[in-house]
Amino acid sequence: MEFSRRDTLVLGLGAAVATVLPFRAFAAADEAIAAFTGGAEMGTAGITLTAPEIAENGNTVPISVSAAGAASIIVLASGNPTPEVATFNFGELAGSQDAATRMRLAGTQDVIAIAKMADGSFVKASSTVKVTIGGCGG
Amino acid sequence: MKIKALTAIAAVLLSAPAFVAADEDAELIVNGEIEMVTKTAAAPHLEGALDEVLSGWLFRADETQSLQADDFDNPGMIFVDQGMDDWGTVDGSEGKSCASCHGDVEDSMAGIRAEYPKWNDTAGEVRTMAQMINECRVDRMGAEAHGYTSAKMARMEALISVQSRGMPVNVAIDGPAADMWAQGKEMFYSRTGQLELSCASCHEENYGNRIRSDHLSQGHINGFPVYRLKNAKLTTPHGRFKGCVRDTRAQTYSPGSDDFVALELYVASRGNGLSVEGVSVRN
Amino acid sequence: MASGVKPRVKAPKKAAAGEIVTIKTLISHKMESGQRKDGDGNPIPRSIINRFTCDFDGMNVIDVEMAPAISTNPYFQFDAMIPGAGDMVFTWYDDDGDVYSTTKSIAIG
């Protein structure tokens, strides 16, 4: 990937803003949540989201989610241009309701996981991931 | 602007704390079986420069480190698979594949990566692995040469490198290779570019310190080809050198040039004793 | 993106009936997000794998809807319950209509 000086300046500015305050959960993330939950109340018990506190590279951020008994788990990145990341739908032969993947984060922000449980209720977990800007980058 | 940039770089280097690796005592065991030497006594020729050589793996965050511990977590292995397909694919006017002459890559290429770049008697010069791959392609297969830092070259280097994983890097620096090694050494310590940085400015005098939010490594190439999270593909040694030289704001040498071959020979020899890790995972 | 897409799957060759096993998958794909611009400033169109499924003898293990925020060379890890000997089928669906598939046979023992 080639960066022009202007790109680099813009990235730098983004980084400066990002280090001051994490992106707020934008309206798009709220909409994505509403689309998944239908606006239902969300609990916080029974779901785990594992993400690094500081991601070495926003291109490849390893995350995992776990919610025993969930029918599906949606993962959202509240500060990305489009917040959807993935929805894991667990089938009849799922050995657990755990899954891991690697995702892109446009900057420091909250990653959100919401599980739809078998009884139709919803639980939510979120985690702030700081995305750093690399060295000279070679 | 130049003064500002220099000040910025100086500030980055000076404000850096003492050596902080992700975990200096972390151990790298790939697939639960290949034990990697990521830290060892420096080769005798590094006396006065480094006491201990440290793999770039030690300078990465836990999450990045773990990507290299299992071949099904390491995205670089995708390209090793592709290299394996290429190995058995006939290409060029002679109707040959790599396998036609070299058979099983597991047998014929074991140990190769650990010794390259290496003096080649027939050619009368030091040759890199990439040059040998292209010699085979052009002279023996009648096929087109791969671009020196192309994806096809990187994945063939990756396939060959994996056959030597865990073996100590053991690049010869004496005999007929000595002149080119000395040339590479001079390049390593020569400041270049508008920023007047040498390889040593970052990778010998400041390894472990931060450059912006990243840790500088000792700059060894035992992990090459490397899968970089930055661009999600394999990077070859000369591709990386080019990026480094460019970042000193110098006119870079060409991949495959005598200059970069000399630099590769010298840089590889600084990692003598570390395990061949390629394909590794880095930032 | 039909060329150069290559799945890589870690699944055990053998399992006990009823055993829960961990599966890992990687596939080569650029996952072009649709957010980037080329050197001339024109948007690069989105081109991603948008769905991944794993089934065992016709029964579903996991079905993942994927968005452009999934990294290049997508990776998944999950657990499967192995009811008996059979074939585990992994399928990736590309935006361009291509489907990539690979199968691992699992024996009981």
Side-chain angles (χ1 to χ4, degrees):
Chain A
M1 199 181 294
E2 298 289 332
F3 290 112
S4 69
R5 194 165 140 257
R6 179 173 298 177
D7 287 342
T8 311
L9 285 171
V10 170
L11 276 174
L13 186 63
V17 171
T19 47
V20 175
L21 69 160
F23 287 100
R24 288 198 55 241
F26 295 116
D30 293 337
E31 279 173 27
I33 293 170
F36 186 70
T37 63
E41 289 292 306
M42 292 178 277
T44 54
I47 181 166
T48 308
L49 166 66
T50 307
E53 229 175 289
I54 300 173
E56 200 160 32
N57 196 303
N59 262 347
T60 312
V61 182
I63 57 137
S64 62
V65 289
S66 172
S72 58
I73 303 177
I74 190 170
V75 178
L76 301 165
S78 61
N80 275 3
T82 53
E84 290 84 2
V85 178
T87 306
F88 299 96
N89 299 297
F90 299 101
E92 56 188 309
L93 287 187
S96 69
Q97 284 72 44
D98 299 358
T101 188
R102 296 167 188 162
M103 63 185 286
R104 294 168 171 155
L105 291 177
T108 295
Q109 58 180 286
D110 288 338
V111 175
I112 300 164
I114 302 169
K116 181 181 186 178
M117 307 309 284
D119 65 3
S121 66
F122 293 90
V123 289
K124 175 184 162 185
S126 75
S127 184
T128 303
V129 180
K130 290 188 178 122
V131 175
T132 63
I133 302 292
C136 51
Chain B
M1 185 62 212
K2 186 179 170 187
I3 291 167
K4 264 190 190 167
L6 281 170
T7 313
I9 290 271
V12 164
L13 294 178
L14 293 177
S15 67
F19 177 51
V20 190
D23 180 357
E24 216 187 325
D25 295 319
E27 287 184 3
L28 174 57
I29 301 172
V30 175
N31 302 331
E33 55 185 40
I34 309 173
E35 288 184 28
M36 298 288 187
V37 174
T38 55
K39 185 162 112 173
T40 191
H45 72 79
L46 286 172
E47 197 184 332
L50 295 174
D51 296 333
E52 209 172 33
V53 286
L54 304 168
S55 163
W57 181 83
L58 289 171
F59 296 86
R60 301 275 51 98
D62 292 354
E63 292 83 18
T64 309
Q65 287 187 335
S66 70
L67 295 184
Q68 206 184 315
D70 184 315
D71 283 354
F72 289 89
D73 287 336
N74 181 344
M77 293 305 292
I78 291 172
F79 304 99
V80 172
D81 282 351
Q82 292 176 350
M84 189 60 134
D85 289 346
D86 295 346
W87 182 263
T89 303
V90 170
D91 195 6
S93 59
E94 304 306 303
K96 288 180 183 169
S97 68
C98 306
S100 308
C101 295
H102 298 290
D104 282 345
V105 68
E106 288 88 351
D107 299 330
S108 60
M109 294 295 139
I112 295 293
R113 172 68 177 81
E115 296 186 345
Y116 271 82
K118 188 180 178 181
W119 176 262
N120 183 302
D121 268 336
T122 318
E125 61 182 18
V126 170
R127 285 284 177 87
T128 63
M129 224 164 67
Q131 288 174 324
M132 296 306 288
I133 290 166
N134 268 344
E135 183 190 287
C136 268
R137 289 187 56 78
V138 174
D139 295 349
R140 300 183 213 287
M141 295 166 70
E144 271 183 39
H146 288 326
Y148 198 89
T149 57
S150 65
K152 284 189 169 181
M153 179 61 88
R155 70 201 200 198
M156 182 53 66
E157 287 187 58
L159 172 70
I160 294 172
S161 177
V162 160
Q163 314 310 327
S164 302
R165 278 195 301 180
M167 297 181 189
V169 175
N170 183 23
V171 171
I173 64 172
D174 51 2
D179 286 350
M180 202 158 211
W181 182 81
Q183 183 193 335
K185 182 174 180 180
E186 183 168 346
M187 288 172 73
F188 190 89
Y189 287 102
S190 298
R191 289 175 177 268
T192 62
Q194 290 179 319
L195 299 184
E196 296 184 49
L197 292 168
S198 69
C199 307
S201 306
C202 287
H203 298 291
E204 183 170 299
E205 294 158 24
N206 278 291
Y207 68 85
N209 287 338
R210 285 179 184 274
I211 186 157
R212 299 209 285 180
S213 62
D214 206 355
H215 286 117
L216 287 164
S217 75
Q218 287 185 344
H220 300 299
I221 54 173
N222 58 308
F224 279 76
V226 47
Y227 182 89
R228 295 192 66 194
L229 303 182
K230 171 194 161 164
N231 52 11
K233 57 186 181 186
L234 294 182
T235 297
T236 63
H238 291 202
R240 192 67 181 86
F241 289 166
K242 191 177 159 185
C244 265
V245 175
R246 182 201 59 213
D247 287 348
T248 71
R249 301 194 186 165
Q251 184 73 38
T252 77
Y253 306 97
S254 299
S257 64
D258 283 352
D259 298 289
F260 269 170
V261 173
L263 186 61
E264 183 181 343
L265 174 65
Y266 177 69
V267 173
S269 79
R270 288 173 69 94
N272 274 353
L274 293 173
S275 297
V276 172
E277 287 179 35
V279 286
S280 66
V281 183
R282 301 285 189 264
N283 192 8
Chain C
M1 192 66 197
S3 67
V5 174
K6 197 166 175 75
R8 189 171 163 79
V9 171
K10 183 186 203 177
K13 289 191 173 64
K14 273 186 183 178
E19 188 180 345
I20 290 169
V21 300
T22 297
I23 308 292
K24 293 180 181 185
T25 70
L26 270 168
I27 190 165
S28 57
H29 199 286
K30 61 187 173 181
M31 294 294 282
E32 188 61 57
S33 68
Q35 299 288 341
R36 300 200 306 159
K37 290 179 177 170
D38 65 18
D40 300 325
N42 303 312
I44 304 172
R46 167 182 146 153
S47 171
I48 70 166
I49 292 174
N50 57 53
R51 186 179 173 211
F52 164 72
T53 61
C54 172
D55 297 280
F56 189 84
D57 279 354
M59 290 174 279
N60 183 249
V61 176
I62 197 166
D63 186 337
V64 187
E65 298 160 42
M66 300 161 64
I70 295 289
S71 300
T72 305
N73 304 323
Y75 168 85
F76 291 112
Q77 180 184 322
F78 52 92
D79 296 328
M81 203 276 281
I82 307 301
D87 288 339
M88 193 169 269
V89 180
F90 304 85
T91 314
W92 292 260
Y93 299 85
D94 196 308
D95 272 351
D96 66 10
D98 282 333
V99 174
Y100 321 109
S101 188
T102 190
T103 301
K104 295 278 175 188
S105 293
I106 298 180
I108 294 300

